[in-house]
Amino acid sequence: MAYHTALYLFLFLPAVCLIYQLVGVRFRPWILLAASLVFYWCISGTLMIYPLVAVLLIHDVGIWMETAGREKEEKQRRGALVWGLAGLLGILVWKKYGSFLAANGNRVLQLFGMGPFFSAVPALLPIGISFYTLQAVGYLVDVWYKRIPAERGVERLGLFLTFFPCIMEGPICRYGQTGLVLWEGRPITWENLTKGVQRILWGLAKKMVVADRLNILVQTVYGNYESYSGVVIGVAACCYTIQLYMEFSGCMDMVAGSGEIFGICLPENFRQPFFSKSVPEFWRRWHITLGAWFKDYMFYPVSMSSALRKFGRRLSGKGRYLARLGVSAGALFPVWLCNGLWHGPRWSFLFFGMYYFALILLSIGVEPWVEKWKARIPIVGNSRVFAGFQILRTWVLVVIGELFFRAEGLKQGIGMFWSMIKGWQFSQMWDGSLMKLGLDWMDFLVTGVMIGMVVLVSILLERGKDVRQEVGRLPLPFRWGVYYGVLLGICVFGAYGEGYVPVDLIYANF
């Protein structure tokens, strides 16, 4: 029962809205909690036990830390935090990375002439385990630092961790953002209902018209990459980057719209990432809540640790530049190592994380020279041409990263990248090669038109325009014409029916 399915859109969500609005304010949060548990049961069955264990764990550990804090037993508080984090992360590592660690451990043993010792972990992975685990870890750390009080109500923590719009793909929320608001039982107003439906339709259009259609081309090339080279692989990598953005941001639109119906403002996960002029800026605009989580709960603690500060002082004797670079590397490395592994137990994901670690560290390293160059030639540094070059450069680097991200393994990623470079022929753009990848000219036309609409909306948002507010100000016939136009476009041009294979949500697998 994913967010783009008819079961969710025409049965589950309307039924929850109806029951939620009919009951009293006191019972509305309980309806959301019950709906969230039913939703998770429908997609994971008995694996629902894992988020419930996480709820009970953070509830008890949070109270334990707060009680010990009042008694000034810091050692006990620290022990509670360690046990809580070990429990949450231990389950995550066991369920998500157990087989990966076992297989690679056996390979290492074989190098020393020893037989296989570790056995694989059953591949039953709870949906959303990476998302609700990070939320749970964030809650415990916030209680540890006394940013929030420990929640006494286990049902409140249960709704916070399992709220059905967020459980599959995020966004990764903090308890201070949504934990209390979820329990207020706000009524469904006409304004919230229409705004929520608007955003759900927009997200549905991005996924079904563009992402699911491009999936055919991407699957064709990646599934038989040895048969392609040059432009074809480059186009496939670009199409996958677009597919991933359209699907993930489209899913976030559907998630945010579902929350908005109930008066819940969920944190944004995207902010026009393809207008970024650098890789660091791209990651401040892409999967924002994941980046913010790593920044607050890993980057800052590591960068402020006594070990890294001592390391920085040692390097400072050899120059401020080297000290800054060394400290940056020490703080960024665990962030990007975990970022890569967070996506899954695969070497290509690990390479993906290290790829961005190297790029961001390189940008920090060359920043002094770039700033000096821009100061000497201010016209170039402030020109639109130079800004366009920076955006284009970022696109290229991101597409290369996504090529490895989509590859089934590091070997495939390297093979595709090498084939793309050595076999580059521009004639493949017009000699019919692209028409043999599962899409015809009408598919490319529909995709191009929808992408153009998304680009137009993104430009307006980048300029500070509230597109939804502007549409809401249109006269009634035009306003509803826009709504029905989007709905009709999904019905007519959506990638479903004969010739199309239903596509699961990509990030639900992470």
Side-chain angles (χ1 to χ4, degrees):
M1 187 168 55
Y3 305 120
H4 64 289
T5 61
L7 181 60
Y8 177 82
L9 294 171
F10 301 119
L11 180 59
F12 179 81
L13 184 59
V16 174
C17 291
L18 179 61
I19 298 172
Y20 177 91
Q21 190 68 0
L22 288 177
V23 301
V25 174
R26 178 183 175 185
F27 299 102
R28 285 172 179 166
W30 292 97
I31 296 300
L32 290 182
L33 178 59
S36 299
L37 296 178
V38 169
F39 180 85
Y40 199 86
W41 175 269
C42 289
I43 60 177
S44 284
T46 56
L47 294 178
M48 187 173 67
I49 188 66
Y50 289 98
L52 294 182
V53 167
V55 170
L56 295 175
L57 180 62
I58 66 171
H59 173 262
D60 292 348
V61 171
I63 294 175
W64 183 8
M65 284 192 294
E66 191 168 80
T67 304
R70 286 199 298 267
E71 297 172 0
K72 298 181 180 180
E73 298 177 1
E74 289 302 309
K75 186 176 180 180
Q76 188 178 3
R77 290 185 74 240
R78 188 177 296 108
L81 177 65
V82 170
W83 278 108
L85 297 182
L88 292 169
L89 298 176
I91 293 173
L92 176 65
V93 171
W94 171 53
K95 295 300 296 180
K96 190 169 183 177
Y97 306 100
S99 295
F100 177 76
L101 294 173
N104 285 281
N106 288 330
R107 290 193 186 100
V108 172
L109 291 176
Q110 288 173 357
L111 294 176
F112 296 95
M114 302 171 65
F117 178 76
F118 304 104
S119 26
V121 177
L124 292 174
L125 188 66
I127 291 293
I129 186 172
S130 297
F131 291 97
Y132 72 69
T133 298
L134 292 192
Q135 288 195 174
V137 169
Y139 168 81
L140 288 184
V141 174
D142 286 345
V143 173
W144 161 261
Y145 282 114
K146 300 181 180 179
R147 297 168 184 159
I148 58 173
E151 178 57 64
R152 261 50 182 178
V154 67
E155 70 282 356
R156 294 172 180 262
L157 289 175
L159 182 55
F160 165 66
L161 280 195
T162 65
F163 185 44
F164 67 87
C166 303
I167 191 64
M168 288 184 72
E169 294 197 5
I172 300 168
C173 304
R174 316 290 175 89
Y175 192 75
Q177 292 174 320
T178 60
L180 299 178
V181 177
L182 284 168
W183 212 257
E184 290 180 0
R186 297 176 179 180
I188 297 176
T189 63
W190 176 251
E191 180 181 4
N192 286 342
L193 179 63
T194 54
K195 284 186 175 180
V197 172
Q198 287 172 12
R199 191 146 186 192
I200 290 173
L201 285 176
W202 182 240
L204 200 60
K206 289 198 284 189
K207 173 171 172 52
M208 296 193 67
V209 177
V210 178
D212 288 1
R213 180 173 271 104
L214 289 180
N215 182 67
I216 298 172
L217 185 152
V218 172
Q219 289 276 42
T220 300
V221 176
Y222 277 82
N224 191 25
Y225 71 95
E226 300 92 342
S227 303
Y228 303 101
S229 62
V231 169
V232 173
I233 291 183
V235 168
C238 290
C239 286
Y240 177 69
T241 304
I242 297 171
Q243 176 197 0
L244 186 64
Y245 171 71
M246 289 293 185
E247 172 166 315
F248 196 15
S249 68
C251 179
M252 289 300 99
D253 288 328
M254 289 183 269
V255 164
S258 298
E260 194 166 13
I261 290 174
F262 301 101
I264 310 299
C265 183
L266 298 173
E268 294 293 340
N269 229 6
F270 292 91
R271 194 178 69 252
Q272 299 79 252
F274 292 101
F275 287 94
S276 304
K277 297 177 183 178
S278 66
V279 169
E281 183 186 356
F282 176 84
W283 278 99
R284 290 193 294 270
R285 292 168 172 255
W286 175 284
H287 209 340
I288 296 170
T289 57
L290 178 65
W293 192 95
F294 277 121
K295 180 182 70 175
D296 293 343
Y297 298 109
M298 185 169 288
F299 178 81
Y300 284 152
V302 171
S303 62
M304 297 302 294
S305 66
S306 58
L308 194 59
R309 284 187 291 178
K310 186 182 296 184
F311 176 68
R313 285 194 295 268
R314 289 180 180 177
L315 287 178
S316 61
K318 300 180 180 180
R320 293 178 58 187
Y321 172 79
L322 187 61
R324 179 171 180 263
L325 199 61
V327 170
S328 297
L332 286 171
F333 180 80
V335 169
W336 286 102
L337 177 68
C338 292
N339 188 303
L341 289 174
W342 180 86
H343 289 90
R346 211 159 66 192
W347 286 107
S348 55
F349 289 144
L350 184 61
F351 176 85
F352 174 80
M354 292 298 95
Y355 171 78
Y356 278 107
F357 164 70
L359 289 179
I360 293 176
L361 191 62
L362 179 63
S363 69
I364 295 173
V366 302
E367 184 179 7
W369 288 278
V370 172
E371 293 301 321
K372 288 180 181 179
W373 179 72
K374 289 168 66 175
R376 291 177 181 177
I377 316 175
I379 297 178
V380 174
N382 297 323
S383 70
R384 292 185 178 181
V385 174
F386 183 68
F389 163 76
Q390 290 178 300
I391 293 173
L392 181 61
R393 176 197 59 193
T394 305
W395 286 357
V396 172
L397 294 174
V398 168
V399 168
I400 292 173
E402 298 303 340
L403 184 151
F404 285 93
F405 184 82
R406 173 60 176 79
E408 292 299 326
L410 185 55
K411 181 180 178 181
Q412 178 180 339
I414 294 173
M416 292 183 68
F417 180 72
W418 179 244
S419 297
M420 179 178 67
I421 293 175
K422 71 176 183 179
W424 193 268
Q425 296 176 354
F426 282 104
S427 59
Q428 291 179 323
M429 294 290 293
W430 57 79
D431 65 2
S433 298
L434 300 183
M435 295 299 171
K436 300 175 183 177
L437 305 178
L439 301 182
D440 57 24
W441 68 270
M442 181 58 73
D443 287 312
F444 283 111
L445 178 61
V446 170
T447 302
V449 170
M450 184 62 200
I451 291 174
M453 293 175 61
V454 173
V455 170
L456 177 60
V457 170
S458 298
I459 291 173
L460 294 174
L461 290 172
E462 191 70 6
R463 294 179 176 178
K465 300 286 186 180
D466 189 331
V467 178
R468 298 169 69 194
Q469 192 175 68
E470 295 296 328
V471 172
R473 290 173 179 169
L474 293 174
L476 185 64
F478 294 101
R479 183 166 70 248
W480 282 95
V482 172
Y483 303 156
Y484 281 115
V486 175
L487 180 59
L488 183 63
I490 296 170
C491 294
V492 174
F493 300 112
Y496 60 89
E498 186 177 355
Y500 297 104
V501 178
V503 183
D504 294 331
L505 296 174
I506 297 174
Y507 261 77
N509 297 318
F510 301 145

